[in-house]
Amino acid sequence: MTLQEVTRLAKMGEGLHVEFKKKVAHPEKIVREIIAMANTEGGYLLIGIDDDGTVSGQKYIEEDIFILDKAIKSLIKPNLQPEKAILPITAKKGVAIYQIEKSNLRPHFILEDNKKKSYVRVEDRSIQASKEVWEIIKRQKHEQDVFFNYGEKETLLMKALTDQPNITLNQFAQIANLSRYMASRTLIKLVLANVLKIVPREMEDLYALK
């Protein structure tokens, strides 16, 4: 990637496919961004970019790369190895470019407080994936037709989605008088069948007709 291409990406600002940092101050947090991109649609992580998108570079960028690579290797499960390159800006400053592909091994996760936590990219943010998002990511890797019986709970769901643009898991469970587990299984199956789409959110995911 050329300096012109990096500058163009930085000027566009952070988004679904782009995240940039000035330096590797908190590698465990940056690892979450890498996981989120690998679990979603891939993208670029740029180190040495100011908050306003200025490509100023980072001093001794090799040290930052060493620290981040160590975190990637030790924290991310299953193992993930994004491609990387260094673009010199001056004699002492450079930009690190990590290219993250949508992973065939997704969902990737990190262990935090002895719990598996995964992340997905939503617009310009990386958020923790719910159990439903995790399951959908895992099962979407295997392309196969998903069949379901259109019963009473599905009818109640479709009626609710004609009256409102989206619904949460808790709302559906209440409307259909289902346990949270059964409501979750139903929504996951309908997403996998391409009837619904899921919109990950930090508080509660939203489900809408596709």
Side-chain angles (χ1 to χ4, degrees):
M1 185 176 289
T2 65
L3 177 58
Q4 184 178 11
E5 290 171 325
V6 170
T7 301
R8 178 179 57 81
L9 275 179
K11 281 186 177 179
M12 290 171 59
E14 294 178 323
L16 183 65
H17 300 99
V18 178
E19 176 76 24
F20 47 76
K21 304 289 183 184
K22 174 59 180 171
K23 59 183 179 180
V24 180
H26 302 284
E28 70 284 351
K29 293 183 179 179
I30 298 179
V31 159
R32 297 174 189 170
E33 313 284 1
I34 294 172
I35 288 173
M37 287 187 176
N39 284 341
T40 312
E41 295 296 332
Y44 292 95
L45 169 69
L46 309 175
I47 309 294
I49 312 296
D50 295 340
D51 289 341
D52 63 0
T54 301
V55 184
S56 59
Q58 173 66 8
K59 274 189 176 182
Y60 312 115
I61 190 67
E62 294 84 358
E63 295 180 7
D64 277 44
I65 288 178
F66 176 80
I67 293 170
L68 184 54
D69 283 353
K70 185 177 179 181
I72 291 170
K73 184 176 181 180
S74 63
L75 298 177
I76 299 178
K77 310 295 179 186
N79 186 43
L80 184 63
Q81 295 180 317
E83 294 184 14
K84 65 177 183 292
I86 297 177
L87 183 64
I89 303 296
T90 67
K92 291 185 178 181
K93 288 185 176 183
V95 171
I97 305 157
Y98 283 80
Q99 183 175 355
I100 301 111
E101 300 290 343
K102 184 176 182 179
S103 175
N104 291 328
L105 298 177
R106 64 189 187 278
H108 293 273
F109 62 88
I110 186 173
L111 286 174
E112 296 180 342
D113 301 323
N114 293 320
K115 294 181 180 179
K116 293 180 179 180
K117 294 185 180 180
S118 190
Y119 296 85
V120 291
R121 195 78 176 166
V122 179
E123 297 179 348
D124 61 347
R125 296 176 300 119
S126 297
I127 66 172
Q128 186 176 336
S130 65
K131 291 179 180 179
E132 288 72 31
V133 169
W134 183 307
E135 183 69 16
I136 288 165
I137 290 173
K138 184 169 66 175
R139 293 175 60 181
Q140 278 180 337
K141 291 188 300 182
H142 311 291
E143 292 186 8
Q144 57 186 13
D145 293 332
V146 176
F147 300 97
F148 64 94
N149 294 322
Y150 196 90
E152 182 181 356
K153 58 182 180 294
E154 288 81 12
T155 301
L156 290 169
L157 175 61
M158 295 306 157
K159 183 178 183 302
L161 287 174
T162 60
D163 298 330
Q164 59 194 65
N166 49 58
I167 196 168
T168 66
L169 170 59
N170 286 329
Q171 287 172 338
F172 174 51
Q174 185 175 6
I175 289 170
N177 193 27
L178 295 171
S179 67
R180 184 179 174 86
Y181 174 80
M182 287 303 300
S184 172
R185 295 301 93 187
T186 301
L187 291 171
I188 288 172
K189 188 176 292 186
L190 290 172
V191 171
L192 294 172
N194 287 317
V195 176
L196 299 180
K197 64 179 179 180
I198 185 171
V199 181
R201 295 199 310 172
E202 291 181 353
M203 297 300 293
E204 272 194 289
D205 300 331
L206 295 178
Y207 296 84
L209 290 172
K210 201 161 187 179

PDB file of all heavy atoms in Angstrom, residues 69-104:
ATOM      1  N   ASP A  69       2.083  -7.601  17.679  1.00  0.00           N
ATOM      2  CA  ASP A  69       2.181  -8.985  17.185  1.00  0.00           C
ATOM      3  C   ASP A  69       2.189  -9.984  18.338  1.00  0.00           C
ATOM      4  O   ASP A  69       1.596 -11.068  18.248  1.00  0.00           O
ATOM      5  CB  ASP A  69       3.443  -9.161  16.339  1.00  0.00           C
ATOM      6  CG  ASP A  69       3.293  -8.578  14.945  1.00  0.00           C
ATOM      7  OD1 ASP A  69       2.173  -8.158  14.587  1.00  0.00           O
ATOM      8  OD2 ASP A  69       4.294  -8.535  14.205  1.00  0.00           O
ATOM      9  N   LYS A  70       2.873  -9.620  19.403  1.00  0.00           N
ATOM     10  CA  LYS A  70       2.923 -10.488  20.584  1.00  0.00           C
ATOM     11  C   LYS A  70       1.522 -10.655  21.186  1.00  0.00           C
ATOM     12  O   LYS A  70       1.122 -11.762  21.581  1.00  0.00           O
ATOM     13  CB  LYS A  70       3.873  -9.903  21.622  1.00  0.00           C
ATOM     14  CG  LYS A  70       4.105 -10.785  22.837  1.00  0.00           C
ATOM     15  CD  LYS A  70       5.120 -10.165  23.792  1.00  0.00           C
ATOM     16  CE  LYS A  70       5.326 -11.043  25.025  1.00  0.00           C
ATOM     17  NZ  LYS A  70       6.307 -10.427  25.963  1.00  0.00           N
ATOM     18  N   ALA A  71       0.758  -9.560  21.236  1.00  0.00           N
ATOM     19  CA  ALA A  71      -0.609  -9.611  21.769  1.00  0.00           C
ATOM     20  C   ALA A  71      -1.520 -10.429  20.863  1.00  0.00           C
ATOM     21  O   ALA A  71      -2.348 -11.217  21.331  1.00  0.00           O
ATOM     22  CB  ALA A  71      -1.156  -8.195  21.943  1.00  0.00           C
ATOM     23  N   ILE A  72      -1.371 -10.254  19.551  1.00  0.00           N
ATOM     24  CA  ILE A  72      -2.180 -11.011  18.597  1.00  0.00           C
ATOM     25  C   ILE A  72      -1.946 -12.506  18.771  1.00  0.00           C
ATOM     26  O   ILE A  72      -2.883 -13.310  18.813  1.00  0.00           O
ATOM     27  CB  ILE A  72      -1.856 -10.574  17.146  1.00  0.00           C
ATOM     28  CG1 ILE A  72      -2.354  -9.148  16.893  1.00  0.00           C
ATOM     29  CG2 ILE A  72      -2.473 -11.539  16.136  1.00  0.00           C
ATOM     30  CD1 ILE A  72      -1.878  -8.552  15.580  1.00  0.00           C
ATOM     31  N   LYS A  73      -0.680 -12.883  18.880  1.00  0.00           N
ATOM     32  CA  LYS A  73      -0.320 -14.301  18.986  1.00  0.00           C
ATOM     33  C   LYS A  73      -0.794 -14.924  20.296  1.00  0.00           C
ATOM     34  O   LYS A  73      -1.257 -16.067  20.326  1.00  0.00           O
ATOM     35  CB  LYS A  73       1.195 -14.454  18.853  1.00  0.00           C
ATOM     36  CG  LYS A  73       1.666 -15.899  18.842  1.00  0.00           C
ATOM     37  CD  LYS A  73       3.163 -15.989  18.621  1.00  0.00           C
ATOM     38  CE  LYS A  73       3.630 -17.435  18.592  1.00  0.00           C
ATOM     39  NZ  LYS A  73       5.103 -17.536  18.380  1.00  0.00           N
ATOM     40  N   SER A  74      -0.715 -14.166  21.383  1.00  0.00           N
ATOM     41  CA  SER A  74      -1.023 -14.737  22.700  1.00  0.00           C
ATOM     42  C   SER A  74      -2.492 -14.627  23.092  1.00  0.00           C
ATOM     43  O   SER A  74      -2.987 -15.438  23.883  1.00  0.00           O
ATOM     44  CB  SER A  74      -0.163 -14.063  23.778  1.00  0.00           C
ATOM     45  OG  SER A  74      -0.460 -12.680  23.870  1.00  0.00           O
ATOM     46  N   LEU A  75      -3.209 -13.656  22.552  1.00  0.00           N
ATOM     47  CA  LEU A  75      -4.570 -13.391  23.022  1.00  0.00           C
ATOM     48  C   LEU A  75      -5.679 -13.914  22.114  1.00  0.00           C
ATOM     49  O   LEU A  75      -6.739 -14.312  22.593  1.00  0.00           O
ATOM     50  CB  LEU A  75      -4.764 -11.886  23.237  1.00  0.00           C
ATOM     51  CG  LEU A  75      -3.874 -11.218  24.293  1.00  0.00           C
ATOM     52  CD1 LEU A  75      -4.139  -9.713  24.334  1.00  0.00           C
ATOM     53  CD2 LEU A  75      -4.117 -11.833  25.658  1.00  0.00           C
ATOM     54  N   ILE A  76      -5.485 -13.886  20.810  1.00  0.00           N
ATOM     55  CA  ILE A  76      -6.566 -14.227  19.882  1.00  0.00           C
ATOM     56  C   ILE A  76      -6.672 -15.733  19.682  1.00  0.00           C
ATOM     57  O   ILE A  76      -5.694 -16.405  19.396  1.00  0.00           O
ATOM     58  CB  ILE A  76      -6.377 -13.528  18.523  1.00  0.00           C
ATOM     59  CG1 ILE A  76      -6.394 -12.009  18.684  1.00  0.00           C
ATOM     60  CG2 ILE A  76      -7.479 -13.950  17.550  1.00  0.00           C
ATOM     61  CD1 ILE A  76      -6.170 -11.249  17.394  1.00  0.00           C
ATOM     62  N   LYS A  77      -7.886 -16.245  19.846  1.00  0.00           N
ATOM     63  CA  LYS A  77      -8.194 -17.655  19.613  1.00  0.00           C
ATOM     64  C   LYS A  77      -9.371 -17.749  18.653  1.00  0.00           C
ATOM     65  O   LYS A  77     -10.324 -16.979  18.789  1.00  0.00           O
ATOM     66  CB  LYS A  77      -8.550 -18.361  20.929  1.00  0.00           C
ATOM     67  CG  LYS A  77      -7.573 -18.150  22.065  1.00  0.00           C
ATOM     68  CD  LYS A  77      -6.224 -18.743  21.791  1.00  0.00           C
ATOM     69  CE  LYS A  77      -5.274 -18.479  22.968  1.00  0.00           C
ATOM     70  NZ  LYS A  77      -3.902 -18.915  22.684  1.00  0.00           N
ATOM     71  N   PRO A  78      -9.397 -18.673  17.693  1.00  0.00           N
ATOM     72  CA  PRO A  78      -8.262 -19.406  17.166  1.00  0.00           C
ATOM     73  C   PRO A  78      -7.199 -18.458  16.629  1.00  0.00           C
ATOM     74  O   PRO A  78      -7.462 -17.272  16.413  1.00  0.00           O
ATOM     75  CB  PRO A  78      -8.868 -20.255  16.039  1.00  0.00           C
ATOM     76  CG  PRO A  78     -10.345 -20.194  16.219  1.00  0.00           C
ATOM     77  CD  PRO A  78     -10.632 -18.923  16.941  1.00  0.00           C
ATOM     78  N   ASN A  79      -6.027 -18.990  16.364  1.00  0.00           N
ATOM     79  CA  ASN A  79      -4.907 -18.175  15.927  1.00  0.00           C
ATOM     80  C   ASN A  79      -5.251 -17.368  14.671  1.00  0.00           C
ATOM     81  O   ASN A  79      -5.897 -17.864  13.759  1.00  0.00           O
ATOM     82  CB  ASN A  79      -3.702 -19.083  15.650  1.00  0.00           C
ATOM     83  CG  ASN A  79      -2.461 -18.279  15.324  1.00  0.00           C
ATOM     84  OD1 ASN A  79      -2.169 -17.282  15.968  1.00  0.00           O
ATOM     85  ND2 ASN A  79      -1.735 -18.705  14.305  1.00  0.00           N
ATOM     86  N   LEU A  80      -4.811 -16.119  14.662  1.00  0.00           N
ATOM     87  CA  LEU A  80      -5.078 -15.220  13.541  1.00  0.00           C
ATOM     88  C   LEU A  80      -3.777 -14.526  13.162  1.00  0.00           C
ATOM     89  O   LEU A  80      -3.065 -14.005  14.022  1.00  0.00           O
ATOM     90  CB  LEU A  80      -6.141 -14.191  13.955  1.00  0.00           C
ATOM     91  CG  LEU A  80      -6.645 -13.212  12.896  1.00  0.00           C
ATOM     92  CD1 LEU A  80      -7.346 -13.959  11.764  1.00  0.00           C
ATOM     93  CD2 LEU A  80      -7.598 -12.197  13.522  1.00  0.00           C
ATOM     94  N   GLN A  81      -3.471 -14.505  11.869  1.00  0.00           N
ATOM     95  CA  GLN A  81      -2.222 -13.907  11.400  1.00  0.00           C
ATOM     96  C   GLN A  81      -2.501 -12.922  10.269  1.00  0.00           C
ATOM     97  O   GLN A  81      -2.408 -13.274   9.091  1.00  0.00           O
ATOM     98  CB  GLN A  81      -1.241 -14.985  10.931  1.00  0.00           C
ATOM     99  CG  GLN A  81      -0.769 -15.910  12.049  1.00  0.00           C
ATOM    100  CD  GLN A  81       0.203 -16.968  11.544  1.00  0.00           C
ATOM    101  OE1 GLN A  81      -0.004 -17.556  10.487  1.00  0.00           O
ATOM    102  NE2 GLN A  81       1.270 -17.194  12.294  1.00  0.00           N
ATOM    103  N   PRO A  82      -2.867 -11.693  10.611  1.00  0.00           N
ATOM    104  CA  PRO A  82      -3.112 -10.710   9.555  1.00  0.00           C
ATOM    105  C   PRO A  82      -1.823 -10.328   8.829  1.00  0.00           C
ATOM    106  O   PRO A  82      -0.731 -10.371   9.413  1.00  0.00           O
ATOM    107  CB  PRO A  82      -3.684  -9.507  10.326  1.00  0.00           C
ATOM    108  CG  PRO A  82      -3.186  -9.675  11.717  1.00  0.00           C
ATOM    109  CD  PRO A  82      -3.064 -11.139  11.959  1.00  0.00           C
ATOM    110  N   GLU A  83      -1.956  -9.979   7.561  1.00  0.00           N
ATOM    111  CA  GLU A  83      -0.794  -9.495   6.817  1.00  0.00           C
ATOM    112  C   GLU A  83      -0.435  -8.097   7.318  1.00  0.00           C
ATOM    113  O   GLU A  83      -1.318  -7.313   7.690  1.00  0.00           O
ATOM    114  CB  GLU A  83      -1.111  -9.449   5.325  1.00  0.00           C
ATOM    115  CG  GLU A  83      -1.334 -10.811   4.699  1.00  0.00           C
ATOM    116  CD  GLU A  83      -1.541 -10.710   3.201  1.00  0.00           C
ATOM    117  OE1 GLU A  83      -1.248  -9.643   2.621  1.00  0.00           O
ATOM    118  OE2 GLU A  83      -2.002 -11.698   2.611  1.00  0.00           O
ATOM    119  N   LYS A  84       0.860  -7.782   7.310  1.00  0.00           N
ATOM    120  CA  LYS A  84       1.269  -6.457   7.786  1.00  0.00           C
ATOM    121  C   LYS A  84       2.423  -5.930   6.952  1.00  0.00           C
ATOM    122  O   LYS A  84       3.158  -6.693   6.322  1.00  0.00           O
ATOM    123  CB  LYS A  84       1.655  -6.494   9.263  1.00  0.00           C
ATOM    124  CG  LYS A  84       2.869  -7.335   9.586  1.00  0.00           C
ATOM    125  CD  LYS A  84       3.198  -7.249  11.068  1.00  0.00           C
ATOM    126  CE  LYS A  84       4.459  -8.013  11.418  1.00  0.00           C
ATOM    127  NZ  LYS A  84       4.308  -9.471  11.279  1.00  0.00           N
ATOM    128  N   ALA A  85       2.548  -4.614   6.959  1.00  0.00           N
ATOM    129  CA  ALA A  85       3.629  -3.956   6.239  1.00  0.00           C
ATOM    130  C   ALA A  85       3.960  -2.653   6.943  1.00  0.00           C
ATOM    131  O   ALA A  85       3.129  -2.092   7.669  1.00  0.00           O
ATOM    132  CB  ALA A  85       3.221  -3.690   4.790  1.00  0.00           C
ATOM    133  N   ILE A  86       5.193  -2.165   6.732  1.00  0.00           N
ATOM    134  CA  ILE A  86       5.619  -0.871   7.284  1.00  0.00           C
ATOM    135  C   ILE A  86       5.826   0.097   6.131  1.00  0.00           C
ATOM    136  O   ILE A  86       6.489  -0.228   5.146  1.00  0.00           O
ATOM    137  CB  ILE A  86       6.914  -1.004   8.099  1.00  0.00           C
ATOM    138  CG1 ILE A  86       6.718  -1.901   9.317  1.00  0.00           C
ATOM    139  CG2 ILE A  86       7.405   0.372   8.544  1.00  0.00           C
ATOM    140  CD1 ILE A  86       7.985  -2.128  10.118  1.00  0.00           C
ATOM    141  N   LEU A  87       5.246   1.269   6.276  1.00  0.00           N
ATOM    142  CA  LEU A  87       5.419   2.320   5.279  1.00  0.00           C
ATOM    143  C   LEU A  87       6.208   3.463   5.920  1.00  0.00           C
ATOM    144  O   LEU A  87       5.691   4.159   6.790  1.00  0.00           O
ATOM    145  CB  LEU A  87       4.050   2.824   4.806  1.00  0.00           C
ATOM    146  CG  LEU A  87       4.050   3.890   3.704  1.00  0.00           C
ATOM    147  CD1 LEU A  87       4.649   3.336   2.418  1.00  0.00           C
ATOM    148  CD2 LEU A  87       2.642   4.397   3.459  1.00  0.00           C
ATOM    149  N   PRO A  88       7.482   3.668   5.538  1.00  0.00           N
ATOM    150  CA  PRO A  88       8.279   4.759   6.121  1.00  0.00           C
ATOM    151  C   PRO A  88       7.699   6.130   5.758  1.00  0.00           C
ATOM    152  O   PRO A  88       7.298   6.361   4.618  1.00  0.00           O
ATOM    153  CB  PRO A  88       9.656   4.563   5.484  1.00  0.00           C
ATOM    154  CG  PRO A  88       9.664   3.157   4.970  1.00  0.00           C
ATOM    155  CD  PRO A  88       8.249   2.868   4.565  1.00  0.00           C
ATOM    156  N   ILE A  89       7.657   7.016   6.742  1.00  0.00           N
ATOM    157  CA  ILE A  89       7.210   8.388   6.516  1.00  0.00           C
ATOM    158  C   ILE A  89       8.415   9.325   6.524  1.00  0.00           C
ATOM    159  O   ILE A  89       8.563  10.195   5.672  1.00  0.00           O
ATOM    160  CB  ILE A  89       6.186   8.830   7.578  1.00  0.00           C
ATOM    161  CG1 ILE A  89       4.981   7.869   7.595  1.00  0.00           C
ATOM    162  CG2 ILE A  89       5.720  10.259   7.336  1.00  0.00           C
ATOM    163  CD1 ILE A  89       4.177   7.860   6.316  1.00  0.00           C
ATOM    164  N   THR A  90       9.277   9.158   7.527  1.00  0.00           N
ATOM    165  CA  THR A  90      10.538   9.873   7.627  1.00  0.00           C
ATOM    166  C   THR A  90      11.614   8.844   8.008  1.00  0.00           C
ATOM    167  O   THR A  90      11.346   7.651   8.059  1.00  0.00           O
ATOM    168  CB  THR A  90      10.478  10.983   8.698  1.00  0.00           C
ATOM    169  OG1 THR A  90      10.358  10.378   9.997  1.00  0.00           O
ATOM    170  CG2 THR A  90       9.297  11.919   8.471  1.00  0.00           C
ATOM    171  N   ALA A  91      12.807   9.341   8.294  1.00  0.00           N
ATOM    172  CA  ALA A  91      13.901   8.443   8.680  1.00  0.00           C
ATOM    173  C   ALA A  91      13.588   7.694   9.977  1.00  0.00           C
ATOM    174  O   ALA A  91      14.047   6.569  10.183  1.00  0.00           O
ATOM    175  CB  ALA A  91      15.195   9.233   8.828  1.00  0.00           C
ATOM    176  N   LYS A  92      12.799   8.320  10.856  1.00  0.00           N
ATOM    177  CA  LYS A  92      12.515   7.707  12.157  1.00  0.00           C
ATOM    178  C   LYS A  92      11.064   7.321  12.353  1.00  0.00           C
ATOM    179  O   LYS A  92      10.719   6.653  13.318  1.00  0.00           O
ATOM    180  CB  LYS A  92      12.933   8.654  13.288  1.00  0.00           C
ATOM    181  CG  LYS A  92      14.438   8.851  13.413  1.00  0.00           C
ATOM    182  CD  LYS A  92      14.767   9.693  14.623  1.00  0.00           C
ATOM    183  CE  LYS A  92      16.268   9.859  14.804  1.00  0.00           C
ATOM    184  NZ  LYS A  92      16.598  10.659  16.008  1.00  0.00           N
ATOM    185  N   LYS A  93      10.187   7.763  11.460  1.00  0.00           N
ATOM    186  CA  LYS A  93       8.757   7.504  11.640  1.00  0.00           C
ATOM    187  C   LYS A  93       8.201   6.636  10.512  1.00  0.00           C
ATOM    188  O   LYS A  93       8.678   6.684   9.377  1.00  0.00           O
ATOM    189  CB  LYS A  93       7.968   8.815  11.695  1.00  0.00           C
ATOM    190  CG  LYS A  93       8.163   9.614  12.967  1.00  0.00           C
ATOM    191  CD  LYS A  93       7.240  10.825  12.969  1.00  0.00           C
ATOM    192  CE  LYS A  93       7.320  11.598  14.258  1.00  0.00           C
ATOM    193  NZ  LYS A  93       6.365  12.729  14.289  1.00  0.00           N
ATOM    194  N   GLY A  94       7.189   5.853  10.871  1.00  0.00           N
ATOM    195  CA  GLY A  94       6.536   5.029   9.875  1.00  0.00           C
ATOM    196  C   GLY A  94       5.105   4.711  10.258  1.00  0.00           C
ATOM    197  O   GLY A  94       4.658   5.015  11.368  1.00  0.00           O
ATOM    198  N   VAL A  95       4.389   4.108   9.340  1.00  0.00           N
ATOM    199  CA  VAL A  95       3.008   3.671   9.550  1.00  0.00           C
ATOM    200  C   VAL A  95       2.976   2.156   9.395  1.00  0.00           C
ATOM    201  O   VAL A  95       3.566   1.605   8.459  1.00  0.00           O
ATOM    202  CB  VAL A  95       2.051   4.330   8.545  1.00  0.00           C
ATOM    203  CG1 VAL A  95       0.655   3.705   8.638  1.00  0.00           C
ATOM    204  CG2 VAL A  95       1.962   5.829   8.789  1.00  0.00           C
ATOM    205  N   ALA A  96       2.306   1.492  10.325  1.00  0.00           N
ATOM    206  CA  ALA A  96       2.111   0.045  10.217  1.00  0.00           C
ATOM    207  C   ALA A  96       0.727  -0.220   9.639  1.00  0.00           C
ATOM    208  O   ALA A  96      -0.262   0.384  10.066  1.00  0.00           O
ATOM    209  CB  ALA A  96       2.253  -0.621  11.576  1.00  0.00           C
ATOM    210  N   ILE A  97       0.682  -1.088   8.662  1.00  0.00           N
ATOM    211  CA  ILE A  97      -0.570  -1.414   7.985  1.00  0.00           C
ATOM    212  C   ILE A  97      -0.880  -2.888   8.205  1.00  0.00           C
ATOM    213  O   ILE A  97      -0.122  -3.760   7.778  1.00  0.00           O
ATOM    214  CB  ILE A  97      -0.472  -1.140   6.471  1.00  0.00           C
ATOM    215  CG1 ILE A  97      -0.049   0.317   6.222  1.00  0.00           C
ATOM    216  CG2 ILE A  97      -1.784  -1.460   5.777  1.00  0.00           C
ATOM    217  CD1 ILE A  97       0.582   0.535   4.875  1.00  0.00           C
ATOM    218  N   TYR A  98      -1.976  -3.158   8.895  1.00  0.00           N
ATOM    219  CA  TYR A  98      -2.431  -4.530   9.095  1.00  0.00           C
ATOM    220  C   TYR A  98      -3.654  -4.752   8.211  1.00  0.00           C
ATOM    221  O   TYR A  98      -4.639  -4.024   8.315  1.00  0.00           O
ATOM    222  CB  TYR A  98      -2.803  -4.784  10.551  1.00  0.00           C
ATOM    223  CG  TYR A  98      -1.627  -4.967  11.469  1.00  0.00           C
ATOM    224  CD1 TYR A  98      -0.907  -3.877  11.953  1.00  0.00           C
ATOM    225  CD2 TYR A  98      -1.212  -6.245  11.861  1.00  0.00           C
ATOM    226  CE1 TYR A  98       0.188  -4.033  12.790  1.00  0.00           C
ATOM    227  CE2 TYR A  98      -0.121  -6.423  12.707  1.00  0.00           C
ATOM    228  CZ  TYR A  98       0.566  -5.318  13.162  1.00  0.00           C
ATOM    229  OH  TYR A  98       1.651  -5.491  13.995  1.00  0.00           O
ATOM    230  N   GLN A  99      -3.582  -5.746   7.362  1.00  0.00           N
ATOM    231  CA  GLN A  99      -4.729  -6.104   6.519  1.00  0.00           C
ATOM    232  C   GLN A  99      -5.381  -7.349   7.101  1.00  0.00           C
ATOM    233  O   GLN A  99      -4.757  -8.402   7.197  1.00  0.00           O
ATOM    234  CB  GLN A  99      -4.305  -6.364   5.074  1.00  0.00           C
ATOM    235  CG  GLN A  99      -5.490  -6.675   4.172  1.00  0.00           C
ATOM    236  CD  GLN A  99      -5.084  -6.804   2.705  1.00  0.00           C
ATOM    237  OE1 GLN A  99      -3.936  -6.565   2.341  1.00  0.00           O
ATOM    238  NE2 GLN A  99      -6.033  -7.189   1.863  1.00  0.00           N
ATOM    239  N   ILE A 100      -6.638  -7.209   7.505  1.00  0.00           N
ATOM    240  CA  ILE A 100      -7.367  -8.308   8.153  1.00  0.00           C
ATOM    241  C   ILE A 100      -8.441  -8.811   7.199  1.00  0.00           C
ATOM    242  O   ILE A 100      -9.314  -8.050   6.771  1.00  0.00           O
ATOM    243  CB  ILE A 100      -8.010  -7.847   9.476  1.00  0.00           C
ATOM    244  CG1 ILE A 100      -6.942  -7.328  10.433  1.00  0.00           C
ATOM    245  CG2 ILE A 100      -8.785  -8.963  10.127  1.00  0.00           C
ATOM    246  CD1 ILE A 100      -6.988  -5.856  10.691  1.00  0.00           C
ATOM    247  N   GLU A 101      -8.355 -10.090   6.862  1.00  0.00           N
ATOM    248  CA  GLU A 101      -9.364 -10.697   5.992  1.00  0.00           C
ATOM    249  C   GLU A 101     -10.525 -11.238   6.825  1.00  0.00           C
ATOM    250  O   GLU A 101     -10.352 -11.559   7.996  1.00  0.00           O
ATOM    251  CB  GLU A 101      -8.741 -11.845   5.186  1.00  0.00           C
ATOM    252  CG  GLU A 101      -7.579 -11.446   4.293  1.00  0.00           C
ATOM    253  CD  GLU A 101      -7.997 -10.605   3.100  1.00  0.00           C
ATOM    254  OE1 GLU A 101      -9.205 -10.587   2.784  1.00  0.00           O
ATOM    255  OE2 GLU A 101      -7.115  -9.968   2.506  1.00  0.00           O
ATOM    256  N   LYS A 102     -11.685 -11.318   6.203  1.00  0.00           N
ATOM    257  CA  LYS A 102     -12.803 -12.022   6.837  1.00  0.00           C
ATOM    258  C   LYS A 102     -12.370 -13.466   7.022  1.00  0.00           C
ATOM    259  O   LYS A 102     -12.034 -14.154   6.054  1.00  0.00           O
ATOM    260  CB  LYS A 102     -14.052 -11.926   5.966  1.00  0.00           C
ATOM    261  CG  LYS A 102     -15.294 -12.553   6.591  1.00  0.00           C
ATOM    262  CD  LYS A 102     -16.503 -12.334   5.694  1.00  0.00           C
ATOM    263  CE  LYS A 102     -17.761 -12.906   6.315  1.00  0.00           C
ATOM    264  NZ  LYS A 102     -18.957 -12.684   5.462  1.00  0.00           N
ATOM    265  N   SER A 103     -12.361 -13.938   8.246  1.00  0.00           N
ATOM    266  CA  SER A 103     -11.706 -15.198   8.565  1.00  0.00           C
ATOM    267  C   SER A 103     -12.602 -16.420   8.367  1.00  0.00           C
ATOM    268  O   SER A 103     -13.779 -16.406   8.739  1.00  0.00           O
ATOM    269  CB  SER A 103     -11.205 -15.175  10.005  1.00  0.00           C
ATOM    270  OG  SER A 103     -10.668 -16.417  10.381  1.00  0.00           O
ATOM    271  N   ASN A 104     -12.004 -17.477   7.829  1.00  0.00           N
ATOM    272  CA  ASN A 104     -12.714 -18.749   7.710  1.00  0.00           C
ATOM    273  C   ASN A 104     -12.783 -19.481   9.047  1.00  0.00           C
ATOM    274  O   ASN A 104     -13.494 -20.480   9.171  1.00  0.00           O
ATOM    275  CB  ASN A 104     -12.010 -19.637   6.676  1.00  0.00           C
ATOM    276  CG  ASN A 104     -12.142 -19.109   5.264  1.00  0.00           C
ATOM    277  OD1 ASN A 104     -13.156 -18.492   4.916  1.00  0.00           O
ATOM    278  ND2 ASN A 104     -11.132 -19.321   4.445  1.00  0.00           N
TER     279      ASN A 104
END
